Amino acid sequence: MKGMVLKNLNSDIQSGNFKSLYLLYGDENYLLKSYKETFKKALSGDNEFNYEYFEGKHTDIDRFIDAVNTVPFMADKRCIIAEDTGWFKSSPDKLVEFITKIPQSSVVVFIDREVDKRGRLYKKAADAGYIAELNSLDAVSLKKWAAGILAKNGKKITVSDMDLFLNYTGSDMERIKNELEKLTAYIGDEEVIKRSDIENIVTVNIEGRVFKMIEALASKRINETMGLYKDLLALKEEPRKIFPLIVRQFNWLLIIKEALNEGGDIDKVAKVFQIPQFLVLKLKKQAKGFETAELEKYLKRCIEIEESMKTGDIPDRLAVELMIAVQ
């Protein structure tokens, strides 16, 4: 479905057959930012007279409507973008009435992180134009997209090394793009990105470092686990940010462990519980290092420690150390 959404957007942009209205929403900031720039470039180019941008919850609706009704200057169309206005949660009456009256000479692009699909404005927008939900890509699409960036630069990578790379970066597309640019520059004239290149140059995100912590914990390498935690602290990562990621990973491991014990389909289980697909194989391997009772004990201890953190009975840094020390 997501592939079709992107295909439809790209088709309109490439053909120049624009609808009067687009609503782009979701949690993938890279896609939202990318399409915002693409619409602006495709519709107005460098002609600022035919482009207007509105942002924030205090955007004046009358000014916005006036901008949409303005005739383009020496062009067929104008581009008007309204971002993070909150209108698709509050559905202002004036905008609900106007949304179907957008002149053919204007293309309006609304960009929001959250919308109310039950709201009147959302329903009117669905009738008047095109709505695209832009959330994080699934693992397969993410790999294809990343491989495509490399291919444009004449570079290649093996499937297993791509998995390692994504484990380091996480699924944030902006981060992935930046790290791919670093890798491409690092290997110079070499065609194939190797595992050692990834290990040498790619910055491991906090999720990846937490994964390594739990991996060391699964092998009972407590000193290594504590060392990785101290590395995170040295990088100025807050314990209150680290702790929920640890809890989330233990939850994932327990889910995978129970599915393994019951002979269930791990991939389906991962999909139901929204575990990133590129982590599934690694989690399966990691889960084998724990007994079910052991994971349950860690999670129980996490709940107790989290309560103590909230009440201030245990300093944040010590709280994570106590969780690591559970035996």
Side-chain angles (χ1 to χ4, degrees), residues 185-236:
Y186 178 74
I187 67 171
D189 294 332
E190 295 290 328
E191 183 180 7
V192 180
I193 291 172
K194 302 185 294 293
R195 179 169 292 256
S196 58
D197 299 325
I198 296 168
E199 292 171 342
N200 287 336
I201 201 67
V202 176
T203 303
V204 182
N205 70 345
I206 182 172
E207 287 89 350
R209 290 177 184 273
V210 168
F211 190 93
K212 285 189 171 185
M213 278 177 58
I214 307 303
E215 195 166 56
L217 198 60
S219 300
K220 307 298 185 287
R221 303 193 303 271
I222 304 301
N223 289 339
E224 183 180 341
T225 308
M226 198 67 75
L228 288 164
Y229 174 51
K230 289 179 179 177
D231 287 345
L232 281 169
L233 295 177
L235 292 169
K236 307 299 183 184

Side-chain angles (χ1 to χ4, degrees), residues 232-247:
L232 281 169
L233 295 177
L235 292 169
K236 307 299 183 184
E237 297 290 356
E238 295 291 332
R240 280 186 179 268
K241 187 177 178 181
I242 297 168
F243 194 80
L245 295 174
I246 292 173
V247 176

Side-chain angles (χ1 to χ4, degrees), residues 70-286:
T70 300
V71 177
F73 178 73
M74 298 181 68
D76 293 329
K77 293 185 182 295
R78 302 185 80 237
C79 177
I80 300 91
I81 295 177
E83 184 170 8
D84 293 333
T85 60
W87 290 337
F88 282 87
K89 294 193 79 175
S90 60
S91 291
D93 291 338
K94 185 175 288 189
L95 204 56
V96 171
E97 293 172 9
F98 174 74
I99 210 76
T100 57
K101 302 174 184 176
I102 296 172
Q104 292 184 347
S105 58
S106 289
V107 176
V108 179
V109 182
F110 294 103
I111 300 172
D112 256 301
R113 273 64 186 171
E114 296 180 3
V115 301
D116 180 2
K117 294 181 180 180
R118 301 165 300 177
R120 291 186 301 147
L121 188 60
Y122 183 94
K123 292 175 180 177
K124 286 281 188 179
D127 293 334
Y130 186 72
I131 295 179
E133 184 176 6
L134 303 178
N135 291 324
S136 301
L137 298 181
D138 59 59
V140 173
S141 300
L142 204 57
K143 289 176 185 178
K144 286 182 179 178
W145 175 75
I149 292 176
L150 290 177
K152 286 179 183 178
N153 290 287
K155 307 299 181 186
K156 298 177 182 178
I157 189 171
T158 66
V159 173
S160 60
D161 286 346
M162 178 64 86
D163 285 338
L164 174 68
F165 172 75
L166 292 176
N167 191 36
Y168 273 31
T169 63
S171 59
D172 182 272
M173 295 175 73
E174 187 77 45
R175 179 182 175 80
I176 290 170
K177 184 172 180 291
N178 291 338
E179 293 296 337
L180 287 174
E181 289 173 355
K182 282 168 53 179
L183 270 174
T184 300
Y186 178 74
I187 67 171
D189 294 332
E190 295 290 328
E191 183 180 7
V192 180
I193 291 172
K194 302 185 294 293
R195 179 169 292 256
S196 58
D197 299 325
I198 296 168
E199 292 171 342
N200 287 336
I201 201 67
V202 176
T203 303
V204 182
N205 70 345
I206 182 172
E207 287 89 350
R209 290 177 184 273
V210 168
F211 190 93
K212 285 189 171 185
M213 278 177 58
I214 307 303
E215 195 166 56
L217 198 60
S219 300
K220 307 298 185 287
R221 303 193 303 271
I222 304 301
N223 289 339
E224 183 180 341
T225 308
M226 198 67 75
L228 288 164
Y229 174 51
K230 289 179 179 177
D231 287 345
L232 281 169
L233 295 177
L235 292 169
K236 307 299 183 184
E237 297 290 356
E238 295 291 332
R240 280 186 179 268
K241 187 177 178 181
I242 297 168
F243 194 80
L245 295 174
I246 292 173
V247 176
R248 182 184 68 176
Q249 189 154 335
F250 275 126
N251 269 315
W252 282 349
L253 286 169
L254 184 58
I255 290 165
I256 295 290
K257 187 70 177 180
E258 289 178 340
L260 283 170
N261 291 342
E262 296 170 7
D265 186 321
I266 300 297
D267 292 329
K268 286 184 179 178
V269 170
K271 187 174 182 179
V272 169
F273 287 94
Q274 297 185 322
I275 301 172
Q277 291 179 7
F278 65 85
L279 281 181
V280 173
L281 288 176
K282 291 182 175 292
L283 285 167
K284 282 168 66 175
K285 182 179 178 181
Q286 201 175 90

